[in-house]
Amino acid sequence: MGKVTGFLEIDRQVHKYQPASDRIRHFREFTLPMSDKEVEKQAARCMDCGIPYCHGPTGCPVHNQIPDWNDLVYNGDWDEAIRNLHSTNNFPEWTGRICPAPCEEACTLNLEDIPVAIKTVEQAIADKAYESGFVRPYPPEHKTGKSVAIIGSGPAGMAAAQQLGRAGHQVHVYERESRPGGLMRYGIPDFKIEKHYIDRRVEQMQGEGVTFHCGVNVGVDKPVEELLSEYDAVLYCGGSERPRPAGIPGADLEGVHDAMPYLVQQNRRVGGEDIQSVAWASDPILAGGKHVVVVGGGDTASDCVGTAFRQGAVRVTQLDIRPRPPEKEDKLAVWPYWATKMRTSSSQAEGAEREFQVATLEFIGEDGVLTGVKCCQVDEKRKPVAGTEFVIRADLAFIAIGFSGPAETGVLSEFGDRLKTDVDRRNSVNVNANDRDYKTSVDRLFTAGDVRRGQSLVVWAIREGRQAARAIDEFLMGSSVLPR
């Protein structure tokens, strides 16, 4: 796999970024692509390890055959590498940009902190697929006469739609927003992934026979029961979009917002859309010239940081209740699993001030307008430490502490107790279905993605969509050749 001695001879390299002073002036992607020869050298570092954990369940949820396409790239066979990558991942140009790369954490070379640059190679293969014309419609040779409706066009819904369409089923995707993509389009900033990558896949899928219905909020504009009467199966991929309640006093002050409406607004601006919508209606939220505080330490919080800087924020402070992680993990204790260690996102590197082991006690304001955030240090049990209180100036604050399940209106409200749900350890509400047949408690209604398993990564959503497509194909036809 790759060059036998490549990992000894070639240093690890990944995409470089535009300088922070340049990239905060725009909302475009800012990675600087590597040449084909540079990528081939990085692929050559993939060693012939006995057990490649990178593409097992610890490394890649969609089971990308990473050693195989690294070897193909090293040998210059980009066409076969493209076919290999697409055999397991419908949208590698998405994951190559926004996946946190658990595969690199599971790489054997990560034991020496020099993992193969898997994410960089994946993005290069995916981009080469567009250049070579590989990303084009592949319509099925035969139609089955069966029809499937998919609720939601995020990564899970899109992956399922493409798989089911290629299996010969008539597929109709219903999306609440004005354009397909779900939170891939409206929740993730353009500086992480530009939306023409979604548009290209939509065009490809339309050429394969998939029909998109945008501006239809199923369960509100169109009953789910109506879909069940019109189609042979319905797949619910509504995502996990309900903000986790923070319970922080003063959250009703002007200037305090949940993270997602803020990100959705800016994505709409970049996409040339009206920022007002049925689902995310609010007044304009802009950080220009303001002191911003972001409560939360995850990806959504980081996206708020990067967006605020690009809007011209004077200062951005990020509050994380977790203790400051170690700079380096104990490899023998955690490898090949995802390690807790100090990580700095590109947005945080643009100048954010980060506070660790800090709790947000209260949002402070005058005349109903936010002026500051009262905080304190916490102990190892996240209990406030007396006498450590302090106040951070804030004109704008975003709460980004995660999501607690699918929207209460729509599918959940229409079925009530008929659609059984679970509450997991994070107090997230998930639609009750297993990861084998993806069936809900309602006949012919399936579910996949974050709505089933709780908030997670795009790569997990793609995996769920692909597996749900196979389950539906088996349900409709008695057997399936679609991969799991």
Side-chain angles (χ1 to χ4, degrees), residues 15 29 31 62 64 85-86 89-102 118-130 135 152-162 173 175 179-186 188-205 212 457-463 465-466:
H15 286 149
E29 291 182 17
T31 54
V62 294
N64 280 338
L85 177 55
H86 280 83
N89 187 350
N90 297 70
F91 314 118
E93 69 278 18
W94 301 358
T95 53
R97 285 171 165 79
I98 61 174
C99 183
I118 299 169
K119 182 176 176 179
T120 294
V121 177
E122 180 181 23
Q123 180 179 335
I125 295 172
D127 290 347
K128 178 74 75 173
Y130 281 106
V135 181
S153 64
M158 290 271 282
Q162 185 162 66
V173 180
E175 169 56 46
R179 297 177 184 174
L183 290 186
M184 272 287 301
R185 180 183 295 276
Y186 292 106
I188 298 177
D190 281 63
F191 56 79
K192 291 177 72 172
I193 179 169
E194 294 179 6
K195 303 310 183 281
H196 61 82
Y197 292 106
I198 300 173
D199 296 333
R200 285 175 171 180
R201 287 297 181 179
V202 171
E203 292 175 8
Q204 179 194 33
M205 292 166 65
F212 289 86
L457 305 176
V458 167
V459 68
W460 272 105
I462 294 173
R463 170 196 170 114
R466 288 170 62 89

Side-chain angles (χ1 to χ4, degrees), residues 33 54 101 223 258 261 291:
C54 58
D258 286 319
H291 289 70

Side-chain angles (χ1 to χ4, degrees), residues 108-170:
T108 302
L109 286 175
N110 190 40
L111 288 167
E112 299 294 329
D113 290 316
I114 50 171
V116 175
I118 299 169
K119 182 176 176 179
T120 294
V121 177
E122 180 181 23
Q123 180 179 335
I125 295 172
D127 290 347
K128 178 74 75 173
Y130 281 106
E131 296 171 13
S132 66
F134 180 86
V135 181
R136 61 182 186 274
Y138 293 92
E141 295 182 0
H142 305 286
K143 291 289 187 178
T144 64
K146 302 291 186 179
S147 61
V148 182
I150 297 177
I151 304 169
S153 64
M158 290 271 282
Q162 185 162 66
Q163 293 294 94
L164 288 166
R166 289 177 174 177
H169 304 305
Q170 182 184 5

